Amino acid sequence: MEAVGAAQGRKLAGNWGVIVVLAVVLVVRLPFLNQAVQGDDFYYLAGAQHAQIDPLHPHHARYVFGGAEVSMQGHPHPPLNAWILAGLLALAGDIREVPFHAAYMAFSLAAALSMWSLARRFSPRPLLATLLFLAVPAFVVNGNSFEADLPLLAFWMASAALFVRAVDEGSRPWLAGAALGLALAALAAYQSVLLAPVLAVYLWSRRRGWGLGWLALFTGPLVLAAWQLCERLSTGEMPLAVAAGYFQAYGFQSLSNKLKNAAALTGHTAWLIFPVLAAAAFRPAGRWPWIASLAAAAGAAFADPHPLFWASVGIGVLVIASAASHARNGNDCDTRFLSAWVLIFFAGALALFFAGSARYLLPMAAPVALAASRRLKPRPAWLAAGVGLQLALSLCLSLVNYQHWDGYREFARQLKGDTETRRVWINGEWGLRFYVESDGGLPLVRGQAVRPGEVVVSSELAFPVEFTTGGGVLTPSLEREISSTLPLRLTGLGARSAYSTVSLGLRPFDIHSGPIDRLRASLVLEHKPALSYLPMDAPEADQQIVSGIYQLEGGRYRWMAGRAVVLLKNPGQPSALEVALYIPPQSPARRVTLLLDEKPVAQQLFQGSGSFTLVSAPLTPLTESPVVAILVDRTFAVPGDQRELGVILAAAGFKPAP
């Protein structure tokens, strides 16, 4: 009878635990159901829209990214998330924030219940361990997006929970479920391949002779390989090859980015659970981990002296060092498995990623929370306090995030009058791009010539690109500053946060009260050219450059593309058209042609690099504002620089005949 009573008590406790877990998921999701489109949502939604006409190839969508048209075939995620969004789009008929977020809440629930299953298996405090997992900032914040992180986490956690149960019970049905989860995780993200070695550690320690278990671990890699092969056969290109080309072109995997990525991910590790709790749970017994932690913190202080960065790096090193120690010297298989999970995923993250985003570490949150709950078993109050502090911080960060992206949505609503009556260009990415483009706006490409009467919507934060006004002047018509009621920043002007990308800083988040972004809608007004001879460093240059000429460099010169166009003032007398240029040694350009109002007036073939002047015969322009075009025969590109480069211009214009 006592045994039956104990079993009933455990079942009742388990039921209440599930209710608490589900309630916490609702608490962190329901307030943000109307979350605006954010971050990389735009690109996944573009894939979903393309899937309406090409369901098997959602990643064959093309869009402008960073000022250049690209193919989504090079996107760093397989197509599962685009397929999910495509299904929702087909059902809803349009992209709608509330029903889409309500549907995506299923992934949060699946991840939470899977964590509950693992916690009951590995933790003496299963509820607290699960709540630690649910309080992770990246889970709370990024679970309100349409990016692939939560689908990946859901299938990763489900695969792990099902596989552990299958191994423990020697169950084929549970193993089949795990294999399905592994397949779906593989189609959600490439980093899912790290799940195979993680689960292999558990299989080796518990049931190493189980052949079916070993076969199941190959499911993810085989699914990825099959998808790559199908794409190669149907389109002639493998997505990984396209992605590798973009990585090379944009310099994503440069040594500088990799070092920043490593520093940021180490700092984010400290915030998988509240850092004070992490320091208490993972404090090492020996002195060498402490020495490594202090050395890492001291080194980090040279990169950024703010304690939010170097203290996070120091605690992150403690967590990793503790995992390394327990993987090698753990006193039981479960401890070694959880430690191996941390080490394998963290090492893989250092190798695979380049942007250092906090969301990358979501699959590592479970073993950290489980290990902390095991080591602090005698101190449940500490664990509860850690949950409370971390959850409060995460909700505050979610509020800041909501206010940021909602600012773009509201700005786009204010612009509807312009988008309905004028051509509107968007100079920015993310949610701003989505909402303005949804109303009929067009994305700017690098070097775009915007004409008088058109509107340019610009963001100071969202990676604006260079463009020209085609002889017009930008006149602000609407401006807005996006801020937050809380002095916390995931990103922002002046904030040095690596929460989303190391391109803006290295801190796990930032404490900052400045604006998140400044938005501006500017009308291009017609402006007559003031100069007949235009030095590239002249104050009037930006108003007289029409297209194909980039920003001023070195205070005196500008690179041009294959074709450059400027607007000049009529000199009022017969004058020679002259261009002063420099052909760098790396440029393949040799033939330069001058056109006046689209008619060739001069051409010369140069034999090598150096400074040159190309001069036409005296000309009499027939228009008040003649248009001069400069053409070169060949261009080149530099890795990490997306511009088309021809030659360097110093000046162009009319010089009166002697």
Side-chain angles (χ1 to χ4, degrees):
M1 291 295 293
E2 290 182 5
V4 172
Q8 290 176 340
R10 286 193 298 270
K11 183 178 180 180
L12 183 61
N15 291 339
W16 276 109
V18 169
I19 292 171
V20 171
V21 167
L22 297 180
V24 171
V25 172
L26 294 178
V27 165
V28 301
R29 291 289 172 257
L30 291 180
F32 303 102
L33 281 182
N34 195 35
Q35 172 80 48
V37 170
Q38 58 180 296
D40 290 344
D41 287 359
F42 172 85
Y43 311 113
Y44 290 106
L45 291 168
Q49 291 169 322
H50 185 79
Q52 307 304 306
I53 57 172
D54 188 4
L56 293 179
H57 304 104
H59 280 194
H60 289 193
R62 299 190 68 86
Y63 47 71
V64 173
F65 172 76
E69 187 180 77
V70 299
S71 167
M72 199 178 177
Q73 277 185 283
H75 195 271
H77 285 84
L80 178 65
N81 196 46
W83 276 326
I84 295 168
L85 288 167
L88 293 174
L89 179 56
L91 290 172
D94 199 356
I95 297 168
R96 306 180 189 279
E97 294 93 338
V98 173
F100 276 40
H101 283 300
Y104 262 63
M105 194 160 57
F107 298 116
S108 297
L109 294 169
L113 292 175
S114 298
M115 178 61 185
W116 171 248
S117 174
L118 289 170
R120 298 195 72 183
R121 166 64 182 80
F122 290 104
S123 175
R125 303 284 183 185
L127 181 58
L128 289 172
T130 305
L131 295 181
L132 280 174
F133 172 80
L134 297 180
V136 174
F139 178 85
V140 177
V141 175
N142 292 88
N144 298 318
S145 81
F146 300 136
E147 295 171 346
D149 304 288
L150 257 291
L152 167 65
L153 183 67
F155 295 124
W156 177 293
M157 294 295 294
S159 300
L162 290 168
F163 190 85
V164 165
R165 186 160 183 178
V167 171
D168 287 347
E169 299 179 8
S171 168
R172 292 186 178 186
W174 291 121
L175 186 64
L180 176 60
L182 287 164
L184 292 171
L187 289 173
Y190 288 117
Q191 61 264 37
S192 62
V193 297
L194 299 174
L195 188 51
V198 167
L199 296 180
V201 172
Y202 190 76
L203 181 59
W204 178 262
S205 66
R206 292 289 180 179
R207 199 181 290 270
R208 67 187 63 177
W210 196 23
L212 284 177
W214 291 107
L215 286 175
L217 292 180
F218 287 97
T219 303
L222 287 174
V223 167
L224 276 176
W227 173 60
Q228 295 286 324
L229 180 61
C230 288
E231 286 286 302
R232 176 70 175 81
L233 293 174
S234 62
T235 68
E237 290 187 290
M238 294 176 64
L240 274 175
V242 180
Y246 285 144
F247 279 21
Q248 175 70 21
Y250 287 92
F252 287 150
Q253 295 287 8
S254 66
L255 179 60
S256 173
N257 275 347
K258 298 300 284 186
L259 292 175
K260 291 178 181 178
N261 175 69
L265 291 179
T266 304
H268 291 317
T269 299
W271 292 88
L272 291 175
I273 59 175
F274 199 73
V276 177
L277 190 66
F282 297 102
R283 66 182 187 277
R287 64 184 180 185
W288 290 111
W290 284 112
I291 293 173
S293 173
L294 292 173
F302 281 99
D304 183 351
H306 196 288
L308 193 54
F309 174 57
W310 58 257
S312 297
V313 168
I315 295 172
V317 169
L318 276 185
V319 175
I320 301 302
S322 175
S325 174
H326 284 86
R328 185 175 61 255
N329 304 315
N331 54 12
D332 63 83
C333 293
D334 292 349
T335 297
R336 290 195 293 271
F337 166 62
L338 296 176
S339 300
W341 183 342
V342 171
L343 291 178
I344 291 170
F345 190 86
F346 187 76
L350 297 184
L352 294 173
F353 301 131
F354 57 85
S357 176
R359 57 193 169 90
Y360 295 162
L361 295 185
L362 272 172
M364 204 172 88
V368 171
L370 291 168
S373 70
R374 288 163 66 92
R375 293 169 199 176
L376 294 177
K377 174 186 175 182
R379 295 181 172 85
W382 290 21
L383 292 169
V387 169
L389 291 170
Q390 187 85 324
L391 189 57
L393 171 67
S394 297
L395 288 171
C396 288
L397 292 173
S398 288
L399 175 60
V400 172
N401 190 59
Y402 184 95
Q403 293 172 330
H404 176 189
W405 304 107
D406 186 58
Y408 293 148
R409 181 167 54 189
E410 289 302 315
F411 191 75
R413 286 174 181 165
Q414 291 179 276
L415 279 172
K416 279 209 169 189
D418 282 329
T419 51
E420 290 172 354
T421 58
R422 301 178 184 272
R423 175 171 288 180
V424 176
W425 300 94
I426 311 108
N427 192 14
E429 299 288 340
W430 308 329
L432 176 67
R433 166 94 172 271
F434 171 79
Y435 286 107
V436 178
E437 197 167 310
S438 295
D439 289 334
L442 298 170
L444 272 176
V445 297
R446 194 178 300 275
Q448 176 82 46
V450 181
R451 306 298 182 185
E454 298 175 347
V455 174
V456 178
V457 178
S458 298
S459 158
E460 288 188 30
L461 179 68
F463 303 121
V465 299
E466 302 164 5
F467 68 98
T468 61
T469 56
V473 177
L474 284 174
T475 303
S477 59
L478 180 64
E479 295 179 300
R480 174 172 179 163
E481 187 174 275
I482 298 178
S483 191
S484 172
T485 53
L486 297 173
L488 297 171
R489 295 292 181 268
L490 299 174
T491 186
L493 299 173
R496 300 181 62 183
S497 168
Y499 184 86
S500 295
T501 173
V502 292
S503 65
L504 302 176
L506 292 173
R507 301 168 194 171
F509 57 91
D510 206 0
I511 300 172
H512 194 269
S513 58
I516 295 174
D517 199 1
R518 293 189 186 94
L519 307 178
R520 176 178 296 168
S522 299
L523 178 65
V524 182
L525 299 178
E526 188 172 3
H527 178 74
K528 294 186 182 300
L531 300 179
S532 298
Y533 186 78
L534 185 67
M536 291 297 105
D537 60 353
E540 297 84 356
D542 285 334
Q543 282 76 49
Q544 293 188 218
I545 292 172
V546 176
S547 64
I549 300 177
Y550 302 111
Q551 290 182 328
L552 188 67
E553 297 181 43
R556 56 191 177 84
Y557 65 85
R558 298 172 188 257
W559 277 97
M560 65 165 279
R563 176 186 172 95
V565 180
V566 296
L567 207 60
L568 298 174
K569 179 182 178 182
N570 193 315
Q573 58 180 310
S575 304
L577 186 58
E578 176 183 299
V579 174
L581 58 92
Y582 173 69
I583 302 178
Q586 68 269 36
S587 173
R590 291 295 179 265
R591 187 182 301 277
V592 181
T593 304
L594 286 181
L595 287 79
L596 176 62
D597 292 327
E598 293 302 315
K599 295 180 180 179
V601 295
Q603 185 180 91
Q604 188 168 342
L605 180 66
F606 300 100
Q607 297 304 315
S609 62
S611 297
F612 304 100
T613 301
L614 177 58
V615 184
S616 74
L619 303 167
T620 302
L622 301 178
T623 59
E624 183 180 0
S625 302
V627 177
V628 173
I630 308 157
L631 281 68
V632 298
D633 57 344
R634 286 180 291 176
T635 61
F636 70 106
V638 177
D641 186 343
Q642 299 308 301
R643 297 180 298 176
E644 176 193 33
L645 301 176
V647 299
I648 292 173
L649 297 181
F654 293 103
K655 284 201 168 180

